Amino acid sequence: MRAARLIKMVLLLQSRPSMTAAELAEELEVSERTITRDALALSEAGVPVYADRGRAGGYRLVGGYRTRLTGLARGEAEALFLSGLPGALRDMGLGDAASAARLKVSAALLPSLRDAPESAAQRFHLDAPGWYQEPRTPELLAPIAEAVWDDRMISARYRRGDTEVDRELAPYGLVLKAGVWYVCALAGSSFRTYRVDRFTAVALGEERFVRDEDFDLPAFWEARAAEFARSLLRTEVVLRLSDAGARRLPYVTDRAAAEEALASGTRDAQGRVTVTLGVENEEVAYGQLLSLGAEAEVLAPDALRARFAEAARGMAALYG
């Protein structure tokens, strides 16, 4: 434990001109007295740590000292590629690995480039969850992430509706979509996608699986996401749209479904286009299409058309 702390202290001093005892204590999560003892131990071991006295003093390395203890471990190197997602790393239990990796890279940089991490952090930030959602970390995300990194089989219980099912899974990858975690896993002979927050129990097995070299996580997710989006569109509505309504349709409903409907639509003598649009259900369609106002006329189904007619009468009565 102390050896790792001493190494980290050297890397911190190597990456910055100087640091106060308070700054080092905060970074290393120890007391300032411990920092004093560690600095003395490093000096006795031949590391040229120099202490500047006074209010503006601190610790620094002298003589251009450079440690060679900057080799990245495999886990740290993998975590580094995700370092733009600090929240996701913490959720998966990889925050410490990412921190160590960034420190090692910073220590290895030329002095003129050492502000690069801070510069990048002030110019790009990814906030994955959608608006009006409180992001929650699934309780069993960390062990599933561990299994993903180690290619280890898991035995899991998964909540499906009102029942729970047992599954033996080879977890290939994790996906964070709009604040929701999913694991893409091989179940039997086929790849499937599971919501992590629906797992009620997970046990890591000793057995490791051999990854299918042809499996491509981004391509798999893109295909499944598109398939899922299409599966939601179980109802069709027929619309007659003005040019303005046609332009706005992709912004109020599923974009792919809107573009497909517009591509196959027919235009009448007044220039309006009639389309058949796939929607999730009539209730969802009502909420989406109502925002188009008079730029869209519902032709079918009859129940939805009647609902829009009633809404139009109510609006006319309200506004006179």
Side-chain angles (χ1 to χ4, degrees):
M1 185 71 174
R2 190 189 186 199
R5 188 175 71 243
L6 291 173
I7 291 172
K8 189 172 183 179
M9 183 174 175
V10 173
L11 292 173
L12 284 167
L13 293 174
Q14 185 172 306
S15 63
R16 306 178 194 181
S18 68
M19 294 183 70
T20 65
E23 290 171 337
L24 284 167
E26 182 178 359
E27 287 278 357
L28 300 175
E29 299 180 348
V30 295
S31 67
E32 292 186 32
R33 181 173 296 179
T34 299
I35 293 299
T36 301
R37 289 197 297 265
D38 286 352
L40 180 60
L42 287 171
S43 181
E44 291 174 349
V47 178
V49 177
Y50 180 77
D52 290 314
R53 304 298 179 184
R55 178 176 296 180
Y59 292 93
R60 59 187 176 88
L61 295 175
V62 297
Y65 180 84
R66 305 283 295 177
T67 177
R68 295 183 179 275
L69 297 174
T70 53
L72 288 175
R74 178 179 177 82
E76 294 168 349
E78 290 170 335
L80 186 61
F81 288 99
L82 295 171
S83 59
L85 299 167
L89 283 168
R90 286 193 300 271
D91 291 348
M92 291 188 291
L94 296 172
D96 290 343
S99 176
R102 286 193 295 269
L103 180 58
K104 289 181 178 181
V105 170
S106 179
L109 291 174
L110 293 172
S112 60
L113 299 178
R114 284 183 189 154
D115 66 338
E118 291 77 13
S119 176
Q122 294 305 317
R123 286 165 173 78
F124 177 77
H125 175 71
L126 177 62
D127 185 7
W131 291 106
Y132 315 117
Q133 297 181 34
E134 185 66 28
R136 294 175 180 168
T137 303
E139 183 179 348
L140 297 174
L141 175 60
I144 292 175
E146 182 180 347
V148 168
W149 289 117
D150 290 345
D151 295 337
R152 291 172 64 180
M153 297 291 297
I154 60 173
S155 300
R157 289 187 64 78
Y158 188 74
R159 188 175 68 254
R160 177 173 290 171
D162 296 330
T163 63
E164 292 187 358
V165 295
D166 293 321
R167 291 287 183 267
E168 295 290 326
L169 303 174
Y172 269 62
L174 285 162
V175 175
L176 178 60
K177 170 71 172 179
V180 180
W181 285 95
Y182 299 85
V183 60
C184 303
L186 183 63
S189 59
S190 61
F191 286 99
R192 299 180 182 275
T193 302
Y194 301 87
R195 277 185 62 141
V196 174
D197 58 6
R198 292 182 183 168
F199 285 97
T200 59
V202 171
L204 275 66
E206 296 298 326
E207 178 187 357
R208 283 179 165 78
F209 62 89
V210 179
R211 297 179 68 90
D212 182 348
E213 294 182 359
D214 293 330
F215 179 80
D216 184 321
L217 179 60
F220 172 80
W221 176 258
E222 183 178 1
R224 285 303 172 91
E227 180 183 328
F228 175 72
R230 287 194 301 271
S231 72
L232 294 177
L233 308 180
R234 303 185 182 95
T235 304
E236 290 186 340
V237 299
V238 182
L239 307 172
R240 186 154 49 214
L241 301 163
S242 67
D243 284 341
R247 287 194 299 270
R248 289 169 54 192
L249 186 64
Y251 298 97
V252 301
T253 187
D254 181 82
R255 177 176 290 273
E259 292 175 348
E260 182 179 339
L262 291 168
S264 58
T266 57
R267 193 171 292 275
D268 62 19
Q270 288 75 39
R272 296 176 300 178
V273 60
T274 299
V275 301
T276 300
L277 175 70
V279 296
E280 188 171 344
N281 54 52
E282 290 186 20
E283 184 66 30
V284 171
Y286 177 76
Q288 293 174 334
L289 300 175
L290 194 62
S291 65
L292 295 179
E295 306 300 336
E297 178 187 0
V298 176
L299 302 180
D302 292 339
L304 185 59
R305 179 179 174 85
R307 190 171 178 183
F308 270 87
E310 181 182 354
R313 287 191 294 269
M315 293 286 284
L318 181 63
Y319 290 101

